Structure formats: structure tokens, C-alpha cells
Amino acid sequence: MSYLFTSESVSEGHPDKVCDRISDTILDLFLAHEPEARVACETLATTNRVILAGEVRASKTALPVIMEKIEPAVRAVVKDIGYEQEKFHHAHFEFQNYLHEQSADISRGVDSGSDKAEGAGDQGLMFGYACKETESLMPAAIHYCHAILKKLALVRKQDSDSILGPDSKSQITLQYSDNGKIIGLDTIVLSTQHAKGVTTEEIRKLVTPLIADLIPEGWMVSEDKFLVNPTGKFEIGGPDGDTGLTGRKIIVDTYGGAAPHGGGAFSGKDPTKVDRSAAYAARYLAKNVVAAELAEKCTIQVAYAIGVSQPLSIFVDTHGTGQLESKKIENAVRNVMDLSPRGIRSKLKLNNPIYACTSSYGHFGRVFEEMGKNTFTWENTDLVDTLKSLV
């Protein structure tokens, strides 16, 4: 029986994504000064106001230096995204910083010592996923949702007189055959902020060729299946139109609903927090399993307890597509990588200021090259040969 499946994405100008970007920028500031700094930064953005709260830890010499840099960095983020609206302007919003020192109880449980290894920064379960629907081994619906919004942001920033605004959302519905193969696109929804007086037809005329160029040949839908700004008007956007908070777009950040999610958000958290680092590790392992041709589709779950170094459990599901028993793949996964918090950080080089660029258009399925190397290390497929040798 054929079926429909839908995913969505939101742009860097969406109020929640503004907050994710700010939180990850603060994290990068700390890690640039001290790679072992601890950060859990939450951001709230609303009409002409940005508020930071959370826990941080750095040396007494570094902390005041970093704190001085925070407000200018936050304003630079909002400027780069493109907000110069009357009620949300990078130069004029009121800024409040309530970041404070990390709890000693958390530090005690997480820090390594002479009698214990470094423990996980919290309890929880994390999932990684990969499939063969796209070259990046990501589900196709979320892949193309991200691609559309990235393209619109690029077009907007290249034209100072663009009719497009920073805040936008995309949604794609795919049709699948009864054996789980993609037949094609069923529906596209695009809602984008725009300049005053711009009509829906003007927006449709601009975006239609851009989208048609991004999706596979023959996939473009008919006009009645392409819904552009269904409310008819979207002039007020960003934090002035809707309050933003860090961590409210976890499905957009991961697999668009095609795979489970443990519930923990990523942005603003340093990599001792397994909500983030273990989710990256699980994606890394799942992608390598699929890249090694051990399965066409793979979900990996890991679970941790606060203060405990090694995961409590590891689970592998190949959804009936595995070339051998899931248990054998699970055993290989256990042996191919140290999944302690420090082991993950070391393998994936996570103690670097690399996080602001992860905050929009998904944490997975992307390449972000810096100095000739992929910053998104969890997208590398360098475990393929090792996995094959272990099974």
C-alpha cells in the first residue's frame, strides 16, 4: 500500500533558529578561549529583546574576557541573519545576560578524577539514523526542505533589494510505493516573510524556478500542489512575529520525523552533554553502517546515565534491510568506537568552536569545509573498512 510522508524545515531567520544560532555562537566563544569550557546557554528572543540564561564554566582569567564579547557577538548574529526591522533590529534590541556559573553538583558528577573516568553530562537516550534516499544518506523529505530554505537565504542575501525576508518555513510531502521506495513529490508548502506590498504571485514567480532546480528532474508538482504563503500575507516575521526559544526545533535539526528522537536539543550545549555529542556519534555510526553496504537503512540508539562514562545500552535496527543479523552489526558498532563522552569528543574533534554553523538547516547530512576539512566530522565515512572487517 502506497503512503505519504511529510517533513518540514525552518530558516535561519525563524525565531527559534535565531535563538539556536545565538546559543551556539556563545558556545563557540567559550570553546575558542578554552576547549574544555562548559556551556549550557538558553536564548529567548521576542519583540526588540534578547535574553540569555544558563550555566557556564571557564577559568577565572578567561571568563571576564568572554563575557565582554557576548553582547557584540549576539548583535552580529542578528545582523548577519538580516534583521533590521522596526521592532527587531540588531542595533536596538534590549539585551540581558543571565548566564551564571555551572552547578558544583553537576561538575562533581561529570568531571574525571583519579578514581573515575569523565561521566556523561546528563542521563538520556540519543538516536542516529541513515538511509539511501539521498547521496548524503539522509531522508529525502528533510533533505530537500533544508535545500530550499538555504537557497532562498542565499538569494535574499545576494540582493539588497530582495522581496524575501529572513523568516521562512518549507514543507515537503513525498509519495512512497508499497515497498518503501519514493515515487515522487506530492505537495510543497513554502511560507516566507516578504517586503510590504509584495503579492503571493510575485513570490511564487521568484521561488518556483529555484525550487524546480533543486529537486530531482520530474518531481516538480502542479501549481495546485505548490502552496505559497497560504495565509496570504507574511510581512511581520522573526522574534517580533513570534517569540523564539533555543531547542524547539529538534525534529528539524535531525531527520524530519523519519527516525526517533530522544528528546534532547543540541544548540547551546558543549560536547560533554551527550544530548549533543552522542547524537552526533550515533549519526556517525549509522551513516557508516549504511555506507559500508551493511544495510539500506539503519537506526542506532545509545543511552547514558549522568556521571557514568560508558553508555548503558546500544541498540541497532536495520529495518529488515540488513545484509546480516542486527546483533552482529551491533557488536561491530560497540567495538569500532569509544562511546564515552571523552572518546566521542576526541574522535569527532568536538572541543572546537564549530557549532554556530550547525544551528540552521540541520545538524546532519551536510558538509561545511574549513581549511580543506569537513567541520561536520560526524558525516565522515572513515569507519567503513573497519566495520566490514568486524562483521
Side-chain angles (χ1 to χ4, degrees), residues 67-80:
M67 286 295 186
E68 284 292 319
K69 294 182 177 181
I70 286 177
E71 182 174 349
V74 171
R75 294 190 184 279
V77 164
V78 177
K79 183 178 181 179
D80 181 67

Side-chain angles (χ1 to χ4, degrees), residues 30-342:
F30 275 83
L31 295 180
H33 278 78
E34 293 191 352
E36 295 290 338
R38 301 289 168 82
V39 179
C41 177
E42 311 294 346
T43 303
L44 179 148
T46 187
T47 302
N48 269 337
R49 187 182 298 267
V50 172
I51 301 171
L52 304 186
E55 302 79 46
V56 297
R57 190 175 78 185
S59 67
K60 291 182 179 179
T61 55
L63 190 57
V65 175
I66 299 168
M67 286 295 186
E68 284 292 319
K69 294 182 177 181
I70 286 177
E71 182 174 349
V74 171
R75 294 190 184 279
V77 164
V78 177
K79 183 178 181 179
D80 181 67
I81 291 171
Y83 279 115
E84 296 184 340
Q85 299 171 182
E86 180 183 351
K87 294 184 178 180
F88 195 73
H89 193 294
H90 60 85
H92 306 311
F93 63 76
E94 184 175 337
F95 178 72
Q96 295 166 275
N97 181 0
Y98 296 107
L99 292 172
H100 61 84
E101 189 174 357
Q102 184 187 58
S103 160
D105 289 345
I106 293 176
S107 301
R108 188 180 304 112
V110 173
D111 290 348
S112 60
S114 59
D115 60 341
K116 66 183 285 290
E118 177 187 298
D122 202 351
Q123 72 174 48
L125 50 144
M126 300 85 208
F127 290 91
Y129 180 75
C131 65
K132 287 192 170 183
E133 290 185 0
T134 60
E135 288 186 5
S136 62
L137 304 185
M138 284 289 287
I142 190 70
H143 172 85
Y144 292 112
C145 281
H146 289 325
I148 289 168
L149 296 185
K150 285 169 67 178
K151 182 65 174 180
L152 294 188
L154 179 64
V155 168
R156 171 175 62 85
K157 290 182 175 183
Q158 287 177 338
D159 179 6
S160 59
D161 296 320
S162 177
I163 63 174
L164 301 175
D167 192 356
S168 58
K169 303 176 78 171
S170 62
Q171 184 171 291
I172 280 180
T173 300
L174 292 175
Q175 184 176 3
Y176 285 78
S177 65
D178 54 6
N179 63 355
K181 302 298 182 183
I182 298 173
I183 297 172
L185 263 169
D186 181 82
T187 310
I188 301 174
V189 183
L190 177 69
S191 295
T192 179
Q193 186 184 5
H194 56 82
K196 288 185 178 180
V198 172
T199 67
T200 300
E201 284 310 308
E202 287 177 284
I203 297 170
R204 182 186 289 271
K205 183 178 179 180
L206 171 65
V207 303
T208 297
L210 299 176
I211 294 174
D213 189 52
L214 288 170
I215 59 178
E217 188 175 351
W219 276 29
M220 192 58 188
V221 296
S222 59
E223 188 169 313
D224 64 314
K225 287 285 192 172
F226 181 23
L227 309 181
V228 177
N229 281 12
T231 63
K233 185 178 179 181
F234 188 1
E235 293 179 359
I236 301 171
D240 181 38
D242 188 14
T243 297
L245 291 169
T246 301
R248 287 206 297 194
K249 288 292 176 283
I250 58 176
I251 301 303
V252 170
D253 284 344
T254 52
Y255 307 103
H261 195 294
F266 300 156
S267 291
K269 296 178 181 178
D270 75 74
T272 66
K273 280 78 170 173
V274 285
D275 275 348
R276 181 170 219 158
S277 57
Y280 288 2
R283 161 63 179 173
Y284 177 54
L285 292 168
K287 184 174 183 180
N288 275 270
V289 166
V290 175
E293 304 288 339
L294 300 179
E296 292 187 10
K297 187 185 299 185
C298 180
T299 300
I300 293 179
Q301 183 204 58
V302 289
Y304 291 83
I306 188 169
V308 178
S309 179
Q310 292 296 326
L312 306 183
S313 66
I314 301 172
F315 170 72
V316 174
D317 183 3
T318 56
H319 307 275
T321 69
Q323 299 301 306
L324 60 162
E325 294 177 9
S326 290
K327 192 66 178 177
K328 290 184 178 180
I329 299 175
E330 184 179 304
N331 289 336
V333 164
R334 288 178 180 274
N335 291 312
V336 79
M337 182 179 177
D338 176 6
L339 287 170
S340 68
R342 186 166 292 280

